[in-house]
Short mmCIF file of all heavy atoms in Angstrom, two decimals:
data_model
loop_
_atom_site.label_atom_id
_atom_site.label_comp_id
_atom_site.label_asym_id
_atom_site.label_seq_id
_atom_site.Cartn_x
_atom_site.Cartn_y
_atom_site.Cartn_z
N GLN A 15 11.73 -23.75 -3.58
CA GLN A 15 12.00 -24.45 -2.32
C GLN A 15 12.55 -25.86 -2.58
O GLN A 15 13.50 -26.30 -1.92
CB GLN A 15 10.74 -24.55 -1.46
CG GLN A 15 10.34 -23.24 -0.81
CD GLN A 15 9.05 -23.42 -0.05
OE1 GLN A 15 8.00 -23.58 -0.63
NE2 GLN A 15 9.17 -23.40 1.27
N ARG A 19 16.01 -27.33 -1.32
CA ARG A 19 16.06 -28.54 -0.49
C ARG A 19 17.03 -29.55 -1.10
O ARG A 19 17.75 -30.24 -0.37
CB ARG A 19 14.67 -29.16 -0.35
CG ARG A 19 13.79 -28.43 0.63
CD ARG A 19 12.47 -29.17 0.85
NE ARG A 19 11.60 -28.38 1.68
CZ ARG A 19 10.53 -27.71 1.23
NH1 ARG A 19 10.19 -27.76 -0.05
NH2 ARG A 19 9.80 -27.00 2.06
N LEU A 25 19.44 -26.84 5.32
CA LEU A 25 18.71 -25.62 5.69
C LEU A 25 17.21 -25.84 5.65
O LEU A 25 16.69 -26.53 4.78
CB LEU A 25 19.06 -24.48 4.72
CG LEU A 25 20.49 -23.97 4.76
CD1 LEU A 25 20.68 -22.89 3.70
CD2 LEU A 25 20.83 -23.43 6.14
N ASP A 26 16.52 -25.20 6.58
CA ASP A 26 15.06 -25.19 6.60
C ASP A 26 14.58 -24.06 5.69
O ASP A 26 14.74 -22.88 6.02
CB ASP A 26 14.55 -24.98 8.02
CG ASP A 26 13.04 -24.83 8.10
OD1 ASP A 26 12.34 -25.19 7.11
OD2 ASP A 26 12.55 -24.35 9.14
N VAL A 27 14.02 -24.40 4.55
CA VAL A 27 13.56 -23.37 3.61
C VAL A 27 12.06 -23.10 3.73
O VAL A 27 11.49 -22.39 2.92
CB VAL A 27 13.94 -23.73 2.15
CG1 VAL A 27 15.45 -23.79 1.98
CG2 VAL A 27 13.28 -25.04 1.72
N SER A 28 11.44 -23.62 4.78
CA SER A 28 10.00 -23.42 4.94
C SER A 28 9.61 -21.94 5.07
O SER A 28 8.54 -21.56 4.57
CB SER A 28 9.45 -24.23 6.11
OG SER A 28 10.03 -23.83 7.33
N PRO A 29 10.43 -21.06 5.69
CA PRO A 29 10.02 -19.65 5.74
C PRO A 29 9.82 -19.04 4.35
O PRO A 29 8.99 -18.16 4.16
CB PRO A 29 11.18 -18.97 6.47
CG PRO A 29 11.79 -20.04 7.31
CD PRO A 29 11.64 -21.29 6.49
N GLN A 30 10.55 -19.53 3.38
CA GLN A 30 10.42 -19.04 2.02
C GLN A 30 9.02 -19.27 1.47
O GLN A 30 8.56 -18.53 0.60
CB GLN A 30 11.47 -19.74 1.14
CG GLN A 30 11.73 -19.10 -0.18
CD GLN A 30 12.87 -19.79 -0.89
OE1 GLN A 30 12.96 -21.02 -0.91
NE2 GLN A 30 13.76 -19.00 -1.46
N GLY A 31 8.34 -20.28 2.00
CA GLY A 31 6.99 -20.56 1.54
C GLY A 31 6.04 -19.41 1.79
O GLY A 31 5.17 -19.10 0.98
N VAL A 32 6.21 -18.74 2.94
CA VAL A 32 5.36 -17.59 3.27
C VAL A 32 5.98 -16.31 2.72
O VAL A 32 5.35 -15.56 1.96
CB VAL A 32 5.15 -17.46 4.79
CG1 VAL A 32 4.42 -16.17 5.13
CG2 VAL A 32 4.38 -18.66 5.32
N VAL A 33 7.22 -16.05 3.09
CA VAL A 33 7.85 -14.78 2.72
C VAL A 33 7.99 -14.66 1.20
O VAL A 33 7.71 -13.60 0.63
CB VAL A 33 9.21 -14.60 3.43
CG1 VAL A 33 9.92 -13.35 2.95
CG2 VAL A 33 9.01 -14.56 4.94
N ARG A 35 6.14 -15.99 -1.11
CA ARG A 35 4.83 -15.74 -1.73
C ARG A 35 4.33 -14.33 -1.44
O ARG A 35 3.78 -13.66 -2.32
CB ARG A 35 3.83 -16.79 -1.27
CG ARG A 35 4.07 -18.14 -1.91
CD ARG A 35 3.07 -19.20 -1.45
NE ARG A 35 3.33 -20.45 -2.13
CZ ARG A 35 4.13 -21.42 -1.66
NH1 ARG A 35 4.72 -21.28 -0.48
NH2 ARG A 35 4.34 -22.51 -2.36
#
Side-chain angles (χ1 to χ4, degrees):
Q15 286 177 289
R19 283 186 186 106
L25 294 177
D26 175 16
V27 297
S28 63
Q30 196 174 44
V32 173
V33 175
R35 286 180 178 92

